[in-house]
Amino acid sequence: MNQDITDKTERYTIQSIDKALDLLELLAEHGTLSLIELTELLEQPKSSTYRIVLTLENRGFISRSDEDGKYCLGYKQLMLTRNLLERSSLRAAALPEMKKLSEQYGDTVNLGVLLDGQVLYVEIIESTHPLRMTDSIGSRSPFHATAIGKAIAAKLPADEARRLAGRYGLKPLTANTIQSPERFAEELQRIREQGYALDDEEIVEGARCVAAAVLDPDGRPIGAISLSGALHRFKAERLPEISAQVREAAMNVSRKLGYAPQ
């Protein structure tokens, strides 16, 4: 961003709206916060924070607990999220393919996108098995430990994927999580060669996940589809069959969105 654009951005930014959006992001990150905590985190006078809080509360964007007096996100967020998901072309294109995978395997099928170094789940069809993954729509997971995140990262230019790993880090979540930048680069190359990503107990012990990227018309990754479940249902000998079905589903979605394989 050049200096002229930066100056215009600062000149036309409405500070009160900017602070209100900061407040919503803080509640999304922390869950619940008191007025004093919000004031400290926003680094502004308590009176200014209270005016923002009151406005957002009146509009349903946040709500106050009668028990402890703390604030959390309100029902209006759910309405906006629902409308966004219903209008999402990626979700609309992916849902029929996800249902096919769900009917074929009975395991959890996920659709995720990459956002701020994390996988954001935008659609989930839950498993019919008693032992299943517990992610929910709107939840997030570190990109480096998930099959969806790795599938997307592998389709990015190598230097972009390297910067992503450097910026957000490779935090260990289980004994199997890749923590070395060199090993992560090797993992992404392996994914490029085989066409799918595998989460092998890297985020949840006892669970495996297979994912393939969804591409836009320019071949850029805009998300990924995954099939996940208990380790005993994703044995090594079944991975070729499962990965082929997941890759086919992701490619079908990519074609619906305008991608044409070379």
Side-chain angles (χ1 to χ4, degrees):
M1 182 180 290
N2 59 42
Q3 188 61 43
D4 183 54
I5 295 176
T6 301
D7 291 342
K8 286 183 178 179
T9 299
E10 293 177 351
R11 187 184 315 138
Y12 292 112
T13 296
I14 300 174
Q15 293 299 321
S16 59
I17 296 178
D18 204 38
K19 285 294 184 181
L21 294 174
D22 286 342
L23 188 149
L24 291 174
E25 290 180 350
L26 284 170
L27 290 177
E29 178 182 354
H30 294 276
T32 61
L33 290 169
S34 68
L35 180 61
I36 293 176
E37 290 169 332
L38 285 168
T39 298
E40 292 175 348
L41 291 170
L42 290 172
E43 298 180 346
Q44 67 174 15
K46 183 179 178 181
S47 59
S48 299
T49 303
Y50 180 70
R51 287 197 295 271
I52 293 173
V53 164
L54 189 62
T55 302
L56 292 174
E57 186 178 14
N58 288 338
R59 295 292 299 273
F61 284 93
I62 67 174
S63 61
R64 183 176 180 273
S65 171
D66 292 331
E67 295 182 3
D68 58 13
K70 291 190 174 184
Y71 294 91
C72 64
L73 294 179
Y75 68 89
K76 189 63 72 67
Q77 309 294 330
L78 295 176
M79 293 173 60
L80 295 177
T81 301
R82 183 194 64 191
N83 291 337
L84 174 63
L85 292 175
E86 288 177 350
R87 296 176 184 178
S88 167
S89 58
L90 172 60
R91 178 181 177 275
L95 202 50
E97 299 299 326
M98 295 174 67
K99 288 179 179 177
K100 291 178 185 177
L101 285 173
S102 176
E103 292 168 0
Q104 183 174 359
Y105 292 101
D107 282 291
T108 300
V109 187
N110 308 285
L111 174 66
V113 298
L114 191 61
L115 180 66
D116 297 332
Q118 294 183 308
V119 170
L120 171 66
Y121 295 98
V122 297
E123 184 58 76
I124 296 175
I125 300 178
E126 291 190 1
S127 171
T128 57
H129 299 289
L131 182 60
R132 57 182 181 267
M133 306 296 285
T134 57
D135 288 309
S136 58
I137 295 174
S139 64
R140 299 190 187 193
S141 296
F143 87 99
H144 69 285
T146 62
I148 283 181
K150 291 193 290 182
I152 294 173
K155 287 295 183 178
L156 295 173
D159 59 340
E160 189 174 339
R162 185 167 55 251
R163 287 196 300 271
L164 193 65
R167 179 179 181 184
Y168 294 102
L170 304 173
K171 180 181 177 180
L173 298 166
T174 72
N176 289 346
T177 307
I178 297 175
Q179 303 173 48
S180 159
E182 292 76 21
R183 274 199 60 207
F184 191 68
E186 292 172 359
E187 173 78 351
L188 295 186
Q189 182 56 38
R190 181 183 64 81
I191 293 168
R192 295 184 189 103
E193 293 171 357
Q194 67 185 17
Y196 70 92
L198 178 67
D199 160 14
D200 194 6
E201 299 187 271
E202 294 167 54
I203 193 167
V204 176
E205 292 182 355
R208 268 185 178 152
C209 184
V210 178
V214 175
L215 308 176
D216 70 9
D218 296 321
R220 288 273 304 182
I222 55 174
I225 288 178
S226 73
L227 185 70
S228 59
L231 195 63
H232 69 270
R233 293 197 301 275
F234 282 68
K235 294 180 180 179
E237 58 267 26
R238 295 194 67 202
L239 291 182
E241 170 217 330
I242 293 173
S243 62
Q245 295 299 319
V246 173
R247 290 177 63 187
E248 181 180 355
M251 182 54 68
N252 287 342
V253 177
S254 300
R255 288 194 177 100
K256 291 178 186 178
L257 296 174
Y259 175 69
Q262 298 296 324

